[in-house]
Amino acid sequence: WERFNAACERAYQPCIEYFEGQARERSGNLQKREALCAELEALHAETDWDTVRDWRATDRFINDRYQRWRQLGPVDRAARKGIDKRFNAIRKQLDPILECQRQHDLARRRGLIQRVEDLVEHPDLREAIEQAKQAQAEWSPVILASRREEQGLWKAFRGACDAIFARRQAEQQAQDQERQANLVAKEALVAEVEALGVEIEDLPRSRGRLQEIRTRWEAIGPVPSSAYPAIDRRLQRAMEDFDRRQHAERRAREHEALQSLWRRHRLCTALEALLERAGAQIETEVASARQ
């Protein structure tokens, strides 16, 4: 019996150590749970709930303690009922306070959703976008609701904001298309200036058309900003080239006229010299005949 009893005690020794470790752990869990209850009770007692400014920090603090409570291991059965009762008691005091503020914050954010939805058809798109951006800045939740409710609220809010920004995108696309069309129209005008004739016979018509092109150019709306410098320089070069070509044509015509006048002058001079020689010869022949 003594040998058997000694063997049993030796065999049971690891179990004793294990059970003692479990007891110490349960005792530690109890102390940690008591500390969490004390923190929450102190928060409730020391907070003036009518003047709380940072509800987000308060909500995070409380939910952090709730989370720690759920993560803690078991306590002794004899102490479990008392500590659970204490924890549930402080929760019954804190949860209604948080829920009241949560509902207030939900109402605030639902109001933001309604405000943005009312802006979707607002005639002044610029003002609608500014107000939507302001609503986005105000959206941040003060106290989070359930994940499902938060997802629903955010989906509705984002959808209303996206509808407004989609209007801006559509308007920008329409403006881009209009600017591109204006660029094509201006390119056609520049090409026409480049092709204007500068012959003397065509100059009156070309100058009149050039004036029409200038008027038409001013009437066309804006072009893409990246293309404006190039198309403007191209027009200026076309105008300058037209002026150079017409001046060159005028000088060529004047030179041709001078050359023609010079040839006529030389012809007249030759004829006059011929007449002089013919007259002298006639006088000589007449004198000879008289003799």
Side-chain angles (χ1 to χ4, degrees), residues 109 139 145-158:
R109 287 188 284 156
W139 174 261
S146 67
R147 178 176 297 181
R148 182 177 180 181
E149 192 165 16
E150 287 292 338
Q151 290 176 343
L153 286 172
W154 175 245
K155 182 178 180 180
F157 181 69
R158 186 180 62 184

Coordinates of all heavy atoms in Angstrom, one line a residue, residues 109 139 145-158:
R109 N -25.8 61.7 -39.7 CA -25.3 61.2 -41.0 C -26.4 60.9 -42.0 O -26.2 61.1 -43.2 CB -24.4 60.0 -40.8 CG -23.1 60.3 -40.1 CD -22.2 59.1 -40.1 NE -22.5 58.2 -39.0 CZ -22.2 56.9 -39.0 NH1 -21.6 56.4 -40.0 NH2 -22.6 56.2 -38.0
W139 N -18.6 63.7 -42.6 CA -19.2 62.4 -42.5 C -18.6 61.5 -41.3 O -19.3 60.7 -40.7 CB -18.9 61.6 -43.8 CG -19.4 60.2 -43.7 CD1 -18.6 59.1 -43.5 CD2 -20.8 59.7 -43.8 NE1 -19.4 57.9 -43.5 CE2 -20.7 58.3 -43.6 CE3 -22.0 60.4 -44.0 CZ2 -21.9 57.5 -43.7 CZ3 -23.1 59.6 -44.0 CH2 -23.1 58.2 -43.8
A145 N -22.0 52.3 -35.6 CA -23.2 51.4 -35.4 C -22.7 50.0 -35.8 O -21.5 49.7 -36.0 CB -24.3 51.9 -36.3
S146 N -23.7 49.1 -36.0 CA -23.3 47.7 -36.5 C -22.7 47.8 -37.9 O -22.9 48.8 -38.6 CB -24.6 46.9 -36.5 OG -25.4 47.3 -37.5
R147 N -21.9 46.8 -38.2 CA -21.2 46.8 -39.5 C -22.2 46.8 -40.6 O -22.0 47.6 -41.6 CB -20.4 45.5 -39.6 CG -19.7 45.4 -40.9 CD -18.8 44.1 -41.0 NE -17.7 44.2 -40.0 CZ -16.8 43.3 -39.8 NH1 -16.8 42.2 -40.5 NH2 -15.9 43.5 -38.9
R148 N -23.3 46.1 -40.5 CA -24.3 46.1 -41.6 C -24.9 47.5 -41.8 O -25.1 48.0 -42.9 CB -25.4 45.1 -41.2 CG -26.5 45.0 -42.3 CD -27.5 43.9 -41.9 NE -28.5 43.8 -42.9 CZ -29.6 42.9 -42.9 NH1 -29.6 42.1 -41.8 NH2 -30.5 42.9 -43.8
E149 N -25.2 48.2 -40.6 CA -25.8 49.5 -40.7 C -24.8 50.5 -41.3 O -25.2 51.4 -42.1 CB -26.4 49.9 -39.3 CG -27.2 51.2 -39.4 CD -28.0 51.4 -38.1 OE1 -27.7 50.7 -37.1 OE2 -29.0 52.1 -38.1
E150 N -23.6 50.4 -40.8 CA -22.5 51.3 -41.3 C -22.3 51.1 -42.8 O -22.2 52.1 -43.6 CB -21.2 51.0 -40.6 CG -21.2 51.5 -39.2 CD -21.2 53.1 -39.1 OE1 -20.8 53.7 -40.0 OE2 -21.6 53.6 -38.0
Q151 N -22.3 49.9 -43.3 CA -22.2 49.6 -44.7 C -23.3 50.2 -45.5 O -23.1 50.8 -46.6 CB -22.0 48.1 -45.0 CG -20.7 47.5 -44.5 CD -20.7 46.0 -44.6 OE1 -21.7 45.4 -44.8 NE2 -19.5 45.5 -44.6
G152 N -24.6 50.1 -45.0 CA -25.7 50.6 -45.7 C -25.7 52.1 -45.8 O -25.9 52.7 -46.8
L153 N -25.3 52.8 -44.7 CA -25.2 54.2 -44.7 C -24.1 54.7 -45.6 O -24.3 55.7 -46.4 CB -24.9 54.7 -43.2 CG -26.0 54.7 -42.2 CD1 -25.5 55.0 -40.8 CD2 -27.1 55.7 -42.6
W154 N -23.0 54.1 -45.6 CA -21.9 54.5 -46.4 C -22.2 54.3 -47.9 O -21.9 55.2 -48.7 CB -20.6 53.8 -46.0 CG -19.4 54.1 -46.9 CD1 -18.8 53.3 -47.8 CD2 -18.8 55.4 -47.1 NE1 -17.8 53.9 -48.5 CE2 -17.8 55.2 -48.1 CE3 -19.0 56.6 -46.5 CZ2 -17.0 56.3 -48.4 CZ3 -18.2 57.7 -46.9 CH2 -17.2 57.5 -47.8
K155 N -22.9 53.2 -48.2 CA -23.2 53.0 -49.6 C -24.2 54.0 -50.1 O -24.0 54.5 -51.2 CB -23.9 51.6 -49.7 CG -24.3 51.2 -51.1 CD -24.9 49.8 -51.2 CE -25.2 49.4 -52.6 NZ -25.8 48.0 -52.6
A156 N -25.2 54.4 -49.3 CA -26.1 55.5 -49.7 C -25.4 56.8 -49.9 O -25.6 57.6 -50.8 CB -27.2 55.6 -48.7
F157 N -24.5 57.1 -48.9 CA -23.8 58.4 -48.9 C -22.9 58.5 -50.2 O -22.8 59.5 -50.9 CB -23.0 58.6 -47.7 CG -22.3 59.9 -47.6 CD1 -22.9 61.1 -47.5 CD2 -20.9 59.9 -47.6 CE1 -22.2 62.3 -47.4 CE2 -20.2 61.1 -47.5 CZ -20.8 62.3 -47.4
R158 N -22.1 57.4 -50.3 CA -21.2 57.4 -51.5 C -21.9 57.4 -52.8 O -21.5 58.1 -53.8 CB -20.3 56.1 -51.4 CG -19.2 56.1 -52.5 CD -18.4 54.8 -52.3 NE -19.2 53.6 -52.6 CZ -18.8 52.4 -52.4 NH1 -17.5 52.2 -52.1 NH2 -19.6 51.4 -52.7

